[in-house]
């Protein structure tokens, strides 16, 4: 901005010392073009207005050039009315397009980062699910009523059921012997209250009716 101000001041001084017939006002385009380097969107229009005003102030203050018709200087100065706003418009338009390109590039980069993160999360979730399903231990989750809401592949294979036959359809008490049902009804409220149970022995019933012992 200091350079722009210095150029404007220098151009005005030169214009003031130059006869009207010499279009020194054209040099105002230099500071105007430099506004393309500034970050403020209003700088080009403000500088264009200042340069236009100083052009006409210079016309009033500078002496006429002998042998040059008055109308020629007037037409020359009037031309700045079109030149300065047009340059300011082009600069403002270029800044807007640049900002849009930067914004689009930023959004594209963010989208790509989100896509990569989503892929990583999906891969991690798949690995965790595989670890859960293929663990050497049987895992299951029950709701507060004892309904099975999750079970890993290991335990479902032990029982001989598919997951679709178990999840949301069978209760744990349907998979144990009568002695296990009594023990479950006694200890499950304790588990809900304390958050843990240890070394409970059950006989689980497979789909084919056979049983096998487990330690829960």
């Amino acid at each position: 901005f200091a350079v722009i101000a210095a150029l404007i001041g220098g151009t005005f001084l030169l214009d003031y010392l130059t006869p009207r017939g010499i279009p020194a006002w054209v040099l105002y385009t230099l500071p105007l073009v430099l506004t393309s380097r500034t970050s403020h969107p209003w700088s080009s229009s403000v500088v264009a207005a200042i340069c236009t005003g100083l052009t006409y102030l210079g016309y009033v203050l500078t002496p006429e050039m002998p042998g040059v018709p008055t109308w020629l200087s007037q037409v020359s100065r009037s031309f700045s009315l079109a030149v300065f706003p047009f340059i300011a418009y082009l600069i403002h338009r270029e800044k807007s397009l640049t900002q849009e390109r930067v914004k689009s590039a930023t959004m594209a980069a963010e989208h790509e980062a989100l896509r990569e993160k989503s892929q990583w999360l999906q891969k991690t979730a798949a690995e965790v699910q595989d670890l859960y399903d293929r663990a050497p231990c049987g895992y299951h989750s029950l709701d507060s009523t004892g309904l099975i809401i999750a079970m890993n592949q290991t335990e479902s294979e032990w029982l001989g059921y598919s997951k679709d036959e178990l999840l949301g359809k069978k209760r744990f008490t349907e998979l144990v012997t009568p002695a296990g049902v009594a023990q479950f009804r006694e200890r499950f409220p304790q588990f809900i209250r304390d958050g843990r149970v240890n070394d409970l022995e059950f006989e689980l019933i497979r789909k084919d009716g056979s049983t096998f012992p487990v330690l829960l």
Side-chain angles (χ1 to χ4, degrees):
F1 280 113
V3 172
I4 289 171
L7 284 174
I8 291 174
T11 302
F12 177 72
L13 181 61
L14 183 63
D15 190 28
Y16 171 73
L17 298 174
T18 304
R20 290 178 184 175
I22 301 175
W25 61 267
V26 174
L27 295 176
Y28 283 119
T29 58
L30 295 177
L32 185 53
V33 169
L34 281 181
T35 60
S36 63
R37 299 294 187 92
T38 64
S39 59
H40 302 287
W42 45 261
S43 58
S44 299
S45 56
V46 170
V47 171
I50 292 172
C51 292
T52 302
L54 291 178
T55 296
Y56 280 89
L57 180 60
Y59 175 78
V60 173
L61 297 177
T62 55
E64 294 184 4
M65 186 175 182
V68 177
T70 303
W71 63 266
L72 187 60
S73 296
Q74 292 174 346
V75 170
S76 174
R77 299 281 175 163
S78 299
F79 191 58
S80 66
L81 282 174
V83 172
F84 295 153
F86 181 66
I87 294 175
Y89 166 76
L90 291 179
I91 293 172
H92 177 74
R93 180 63 178 165
E94 180 60 26
K95 284 184 178 181
S96 299
L97 290 174
T98 301
Q99 290 175 352
E100 290 176 6
R101 287 193 292 267
V102 170
K103 185 177 180 181
S104 297
T106 302
M107 291 179 65
E110 291 176 350
H111 177 74
E112 180 63 19
L114 286 173
R115 188 185 66 81
E116 291 178 357
K117 184 176 181 180
S118 177
Q119 289 179 340
W120 179 81
L121 288 174
Q122 290 175 0
K123 180 182 178 182
T124 301
E127 291 174 351
V128 171
Q129 183 65 38
D130 187 66
L131 288 171
Y132 175 78
D133 273 330
R134 299 299 174 185
C137 303
Y139 292 122
H140 64 252
S141 299
L142 311 178
D143 69 5
S144 59
T145 67
L147 184 69
I148 298 171
I149 58 175
M151 182 177 289
N152 71 343
Q153 192 67 29
T154 300
E155 187 170 349
S156 67
E157 288 176 356
W158 288 350
L159 292 166
Y161 289 95
S162 68
K163 289 186 179 182
D164 290 338
E165 294 175 299
L166 294 168
L167 305 187
K169 296 176 181 177
K170 286 190 177 292
R171 300 182 186 281
F172 186 72
T173 51
E174 298 177 64
L175 302 176
V176 296
T177 59
V181 172
Q183 182 177 212
F184 177 83
R185 288 175 177 168
E186 175 187 353
R187 304 299 296 273
F188 192 53
Q190 176 188 344
F191 169 71
I192 293 177
R193 183 180 67 251
D194 299 337
R196 64 180 182 275
V197 289
N198 296 307
D199 301 330
L200 299 184
E201 296 182 2
F202 287 96
E203 287 282 331
L204 294 189
I205 305 174
R206 297 187 179 94
K207 185 177 181 178
D208 61 10
S210 61
T211 63
F212 64 98
V214 298
L215 185 68
L216 188 146

